[in-house]
Amino acid sequence: MTPGAASGMTSAMTSDMHRLDKICSHPLWRKYLGEIGRLEADRIFCRHDVQHFLDVARIAYIENLEQKTGIPKEMIYAAALLHDIGRHLQYTEGISHEEASAQLAETILTDCGFTGKETEEILQAIRLHRNSGTAEKNDLAGLLYRADKKSRACGFCEARGQCNWSEEKKNMKLTI
């Protein structure tokens, strides 16, 4: 690889991650993540932490590449980083976490430089990430829905017997 190619790659990689880095350093995102962590500290089931967000992002991006869907990596990662960020409001105020997450994500996305069109697409994917009617869609919402489900390794979970998910809903196979 030539030196110019290497610097071009670094520049492209930096611009691809710039707004994602802004999300991860955004004070509200960090605050909400901390609140979720505090509320889930004693939780024996799946947690809604950075590891889950990144698992969802990576699985969605792999499917995006394999299916040649063409959704920008930054959009996939932004949706995944924000899709459960409202969990603490579900726990404390009874608001569905998909709606709470979309409400909280809007400010973060705007602050991080996402356009109005990008923001609306990401928010729609967040709102639909638990809607089974989204499962077969070939868009960001469908990718997020499927990746969220595939990210859970129920077959290896020590709390599987105590989980309130139905057996049909549990991800018992290692699939990507």
Side-chain angles (χ1 to χ4, degrees), residues 4-5 8 24 39 41 47 60 62 67 70 76 94 115 127 146 172-173:
C24 294
L39 291 166
R47 292 203 174 140
I62 290 168
Q67 302 299 323
I76 292 169
T115 68
R127 283 186 193 100
R146 291 185 296 277
M172 301 300 289
K173 299 177 184 176

Side-chain angles (χ1 to χ4, degrees), residues 7 11 17 33 45 79-80 88-89 118 143 160 162 165 169:
S7 67
S11 173
M17 297 301 287
L33 191 63
F45 305 107
H88 65 287
L89 294 177
E118 290 171 324
L143 280 177
R160 180 178 65 226
Q162 299 164 354
W165 275 14
K169 199 173 181 183

Side-chain angles (χ1 to χ4, degrees), residues 15-150:
S15 67
D16 283 349
M17 297 301 287
H18 178 71
R19 295 187 295 178
L20 300 177
D21 289 338
K22 281 185 169 187
I23 290 172
C24 294
S25 63
H26 196 286
L28 291 176
W29 187 81
R30 290 191 165 278
K31 175 186 174 188
Y32 304 147
L33 191 63
E35 289 179 24
I36 295 166
R38 182 179 54 78
L39 291 166
E40 291 185 348
D42 296 327
R43 185 179 168 114
I44 62 170
F45 305 107
C46 304
R47 292 203 174 140
H48 302 89
D49 55 12
V50 173
Q51 186 63 54
H52 171 61
F53 298 166
L54 291 175
D55 287 346
V56 171
R58 291 171 178 147
I59 291 168
Y61 189 62
I62 290 168
E63 181 180 326
N64 181 57
L65 293 174
E66 289 177 345
Q67 302 299 323
K68 297 177 176 54
T69 310
I71 298 169
K73 182 178 185 179
E74 195 173 33
M75 296 281 289
I76 292 169
Y77 272 72
L81 287 169
L82 294 163
H83 80 283
D84 282 339
I85 205 65
R87 269 280 170 181
H88 65 287
L89 294 177
Q90 181 172 330
Y91 300 143
T92 60
E93 297 180 25
I95 301 169
S96 70
H97 82 269
E98 59 273 23
E99 191 53 46
S101 296
Q103 288 173 12
L104 299 175
E106 187 169 10
T107 298
I108 295 170
L109 290 165
T110 300
D111 288 354
C112 294
F114 286 83
T115 68
K117 183 178 178 185
E118 290 171 324
T119 297
E120 277 311 309
E121 186 175 348
I122 292 167
L123 295 178
Q124 184 68 358
I126 291 169
R127 283 186 193 100
L128 295 174
H129 86 271
R130 295 185 63 218
N131 183 325
S132 61
T134 306
E136 300 303 319
K137 290 189 174 192
N138 210 15
D139 59 7
L140 181 59
L143 280 177
L144 187 63
Y145 175 90
R146 291 185 296 277
D148 191 38
K149 304 305 171 256
K150 290 177 182 177

